[in-house]
């Protein structure tokens, strides 16, 4: 059964910080920070919406987003956002991308 999961390609894209930054420039892109609110308050990417992936109402809150718009997800290191990206694609989001390395690898200035 473990072999079934090996080699499975995620339904979302993993993007380097440079690719992520370039992709965010497209019109209608939704930027989703899935960290805790205290982490978000400490600094986030400009224009980001904060919905904590570990919160019990995560699925309900993201259901209110437009599933047809390109959605870009990030967290601190890329692990929680990969989890969130998987949940989004399973929920019917068409275009989901995850920031590899999270804000730890983000070269641009964060806003508060």
């Amino acid at each position: 059964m473990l072999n079934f999961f090996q080699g499975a390609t995620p339904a979302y894209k993993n993007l380097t910080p440079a690719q992520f930054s370039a992709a965010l420039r497209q019109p209608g892109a939704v930027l989703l920070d899935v960290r805790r609110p205290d982490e978000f308050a400490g600094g986030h990417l400009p224009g980001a919406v904060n919905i904590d992936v570990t919160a019990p109402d995560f699925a309900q809150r993201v259901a209110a987003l437009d599933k047809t718009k390109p959605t870009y997800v990030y967290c601190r290191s890329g692990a929680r956002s990969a989890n969130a990206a998987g949940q989004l694609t399973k929920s019917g989001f068409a275009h989901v991308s995850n920031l590899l390395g999270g804000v730890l690898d983000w070269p641009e200035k964060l806003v508060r």
Side-chain angles (χ1 to χ4, degrees), residues 15-30 70 72 97 106:
L15 302 178
T16 64
Q19 292 168 322
F20 198 85
S21 179
L24 284 176
R25 295 187 192 106
Q26 67 182 304
V30 175
Y72 297 89
S97 298
W106 188 249

Side-chain angles (χ1 to χ4, degrees), residues 8-108:
T9 305
Y12 58 87
K13 293 179 189 172
N14 283 310
L15 302 178
T16 64
Q19 292 168 322
F20 198 85
S21 179
L24 284 176
R25 295 187 192 106
Q26 67 182 304
V30 175
L31 180 57
L32 186 59
D33 183 321
V34 297
R35 298 176 298 159
R36 294 184 321 268
D38 63 308
E39 293 175 289
F40 182 82
H44 56 272
L45 276 61
V49 174
N50 181 222
I51 304 177
D52 181 356
V53 70
T54 64
D57 64 346
F58 177 76
Q60 289 174 305
R61 293 186 62 199
V62 295
L65 301 175
D66 187 340
K67 294 181 180 185
T68 64
K69 290 187 176 182
T71 305
Y72 297 89
V73 186
Y74 73 93
C75 64
R76 180 179 170 271
S77 66
R80 284 178 284 175
S81 56
N83 175 7
Q87 290 183 50
L88 292 171
T89 56
K90 286 178 186 171
S91 297
F93 282 76
H95 306 283
V96 180
S97 298
N98 174 48
L99 174 60
L100 290 171
V103 294
L104 291 177
D105 287 349
W106 188 249
E108 299 173 33

